[in-house]
Amino acid sequence: KSLAYSVLDVILEKGIIAGLEHFKELKKSDTYAIKENEMNSVGYQLLQTGKTKEAIEIFKLNTESFPQSGNTYDSLGEAYLKDGNKKLALENYKKSVVLDPHNENGKKVLEEISKS
C-alpha cells in the first residue's frame, strides 16, 4: 500500500486534520516520497465518496508539493467546481492551462464556466 493511501486511511478514520498532519510527518522524512499522481488519486477517491472539502485539502497540498504541475491545479479546479466555488475553480483551471498549454480538459471547462 502506498504512502498516499496511508494518508487516505487516516483521513477516513480520524478526519482531514489528522490526515494532513500525517502527510506533513511523512513529508519531513526524506525516506518517504509521495508522488503527485498518488495524492491526486487520494483526492479523487475522496471526491467520489462525497468528501469534497477533504478532497480540496488534498488537492491544495498537491499543488503546494508540485507547484509546476498543471495537473494538480486542474484537479483542484474540478474539486472547487464540484463544491460550487466557480471563482476558485476558474483561478485553478487558468493556472493549470498556463502551466500545461496542452490541457484540453482545462480549456474546455474554462470555456463552459465562462458561458454560464
Side-chain angles (χ1 to χ4, degrees):
K1 200 170 200 182
S2 78
L3 294 171
Y5 284 96
S6 76
V7 172
L8 177 62
D9 290 342
V10 172
I11 291 168
L12 296 175
E13 289 173 25
K14 300 178 183 173
I16 188 65
I17 293 170
L20 294 174
E21 288 302 315
H22 181 60
F23 174 82
K24 289 174 185 167
E25 286 302 313
L26 289 173
K27 196 164 168 123
K28 282 182 190 174
S29 168
D30 290 337
T31 311
Y32 302 111
I34 296 179
K35 296 178 181 146
E36 171 196 336
N37 64 334
E38 291 174 329
M39 285 304 285
N40 238 27
S41 183
V42 167
Y44 277 110
Q45 285 205 355
L46 290 166
L47 209 55
Q48 290 168 352
T49 58
K51 297 184 180 313
T52 307
K53 302 278 189 218
E54 291 86 345
I56 288 170
E57 292 305 315
I58 292 299
F59 290 138
K60 282 172 35 180
L61 239 143
N62 216 17
T63 61
E64 291 166 16
S65 299
F66 301 95
Q68 297 306 311
S69 169
N71 186 48
T72 61
Y73 290 96
D74 187 88
S75 299
L76 183 55
E78 185 176 338
Y80 276 128
L81 196 57
K82 189 167 186 163
D83 197 44
N85 191 331
K86 279 189 182 179
K87 181 180 183 278
L88 288 176
L90 270 171
E91 285 177 22
N92 283 282
Y93 276 116
K94 284 178 183 173
K95 186 149 192 167
S96 167
V97 171
V98 166
L99 289 169
D100 178 9
H102 302 292
N103 178 359
E104 295 305 319
N105 178 64
K107 291 175 188 176
K108 183 178 132 201
V109 175
L110 282 170
E111 192 176 306
E112 289 170 6
I113 294 173
S114 64
K115 287 179 183 175
S116 62

